[in-house]
Amino acid sequence: MSGQGPQRRLLGSLNGTSPATPHFELAANQTGPRCLEVSIPDGLFLSLGLVSVVENVLVVAAIAKNRNLHSPMYYFIGCLAVSDLLVSVGNVLETAVMLLVAAGTLAAQAAVVQQLDDIIDVLICGSMVSSLCFLGAIAVDRYLSIFYALRYHSIVTLQRAWRAISAIWVASVLSSTLFIAYYNHTAVLLCLVSFFVAMLVLMAVLYVHMLARACQHARGIARLHKRQHFIPQGFGLKGAATLIILLGIFFLCWGPFFLHLSLMVLCPQHPICGCVFQNFNLFLTLIICNSIIDPFIYAFRSQELRKTLQEVVL
């Protein structure tokens, strides 16, 4: 993906440009504002990527090993882990190649580096799109399991789940290929930003509705036990905190990246927007952090999966 506007990171390294080493740097422009640039050390970036890779590999291995986890819900969680895994692999691979080219260890022609960069960018972009799609699919699956509990197994069948999974992967590959091919077109960037906003709204509406239903159910239980105040309030606060954490992490980790894309459309030449563009590597790091956090939110909370994970590790 591009570091500043449409420029390629690998081609930038081939031309001799290297990332800044301090963690925080005030970049001053003679005609523009002073910008706070957060520079991510390559070692930290690679370490986070490797942690995400190991973590998501374990999730996929646990789901594949335990037949009790072979259900649509866990298949969606497993596909989310695969998507997060590919996000981390793509970024780690791109950074590693960039460092090798900059150090002169890897000698390659500009055309070869360009092709390699395009392939890695398709991998990263496609895995990002699929990751967002599977986050939405998990929200829809949980919504159906609550509001259509009696009909859930007839609605969400394995066959339909595999169709949805296949459609998501095909759409992700096609959309990422188009994005890399036409990355400098405004319509493509607007489509990506609109897609992120749609996923955010979908998840917010579904999870808020689920929280409201859960609170209503808790009030009914409290009335049966003649404790109308204590249980609903405590349950509501806990549910609201969980909802805020879930949506907050999603927005904080993905929002800056799509803000970057939005500003590329709205103000590509403005000095203040240029300050945002300088922190592109930070936005990619946040997405990798989301890949590390996702298993704790969606996978490791399952006791069955944790037990299987212990068997896999030990």
Side-chain angles (χ1 to χ4, degrees):
M1 303 293 291
S2 56
Q4 297 176 358
Q7 181 184 358
R8 301 291 188 176
R9 293 175 63 202
L10 288 180
L11 290 183
S13 67
L14 189 65
N15 292 332
T17 59
S18 59
T21 53
H23 290 277
F24 294 92
E25 177 183 349
L26 280 174
N29 192 327
Q30 294 180 354
T31 59
R34 293 173 62 86
C35 302
L36 178 63
E37 180 181 356
V38 182
S39 181
I40 306 299
D42 294 321
L44 176 62
F45 191 83
L46 291 172
S47 299
L48 291 174
L50 292 176
V51 170
S52 174
V53 169
V54 173
E55 196 175 2
N56 286 285
V57 164
L58 290 176
V59 172
V60 174
I63 294 175
K65 177 180 174 61
N66 191 341
R67 291 185 176 274
N68 294 331
L69 302 178
H70 292 183
S71 64
M73 178 184 69
Y74 285 104
Y75 283 147
F76 289 135
I77 293 175
C79 288
L80 174 63
V82 172
S83 299
D84 290 340
L85 172 67
L86 293 177
V87 170
S88 302
V89 167
N91 279 293
V92 167
L93 181 61
E94 185 177 36
T95 303
V97 174
M98 179 184 67
L99 292 175
L100 291 175
V101 172
T105 306
L106 180 63
Q109 298 179 353
V112 175
V113 176
Q114 176 71 66
Q115 293 177 356
L116 179 61
D117 188 47
D118 288 340
I119 294 173
I120 296 177
D121 283 347
V122 170
L123 174 64
I124 295 174
C125 183
S127 53
M128 286 180 177
V129 172
S130 63
S131 181
L132 291 174
C133 287
F134 285 118
L135 286 171
I138 292 172
V140 172
D141 178 77
R142 291 183 174 181
Y143 182 86
L144 293 175
S145 67
I146 292 176
F147 287 88
Y148 300 91
L150 298 178
R151 299 171 49 201
Y152 171 76
H153 293 290
S154 61
I155 296 175
V156 186
T157 62
L158 281 176
Q159 186 177 11
R160 289 176 178 173
W162 281 116
R163 288 177 181 175
I165 290 171
S166 301
I168 288 174
W169 283 116
V170 171
S172 299
V173 173
L174 293 178
S175 60
S176 61
T177 304
L178 291 175
F179 172 67
I180 300 305
Y182 302 100
Y183 65 89
N184 55 349
H185 286 68
T186 302
V188 174
L189 298 179
L190 290 177
C191 287
L192 279 174
V193 174
S194 301
F195 172 68
F196 167 74
V197 173
M199 285 295 106
L200 179 62
V201 172
L202 174 66
M203 293 176 61
V205 170
L206 294 182
Y207 282 122
V208 168
H209 198 188
M210 283 186 276
L211 176 62
R213 170 60 69 89
C215 291
Q216 182 182 8
H217 182 66
R219 290 192 197 98
I221 296 176
R223 281 194 292 268
L224 291 176
H225 292 82
K226 297 182 179 180
R227 291 183 295 175
Q228 286 88 351
H229 300 290
F230 178 73
I231 292 180
Q233 290 179 356
F235 182 86
L237 290 175
K238 182 179 179 181
T242 302
L243 180 64
I244 291 173
I245 292 174
L246 190 150
L247 295 178
I249 289 175
F250 175 80
F251 182 77
L252 290 177
C253 291
W254 287 96
F257 174 77
F258 286 93
L259 173 64
H260 176 97
L261 298 183
S262 302
L263 295 181
M264 286 176 62
V265 176
L266 298 176
C267 53
Q269 303 298 330
H270 197 280
I272 296 180
C273 297
C275 292
V276 177
F277 298 153
Q278 293 178 9
N279 291 287
F280 183 77
N281 285 338
L282 172 64
F283 305 155
L284 286 181
T285 304
L286 290 175
I287 292 177
I288 292 181
C289 289
N290 183 80
S291 301
I292 297 175
I293 297 172
D294 276 347
F296 290 97
I297 297 177
Y298 298 100
F300 295 154
R301 296 173 66 182
S302 168
Q303 184 178 1
E304 182 77 17
L305 193 145
R306 288 201 305 270
K307 290 174 59 178
T308 308
L309 192 61
Q310 291 177 355
E311 296 176 3
V312 171
V313 174
L314 299 178

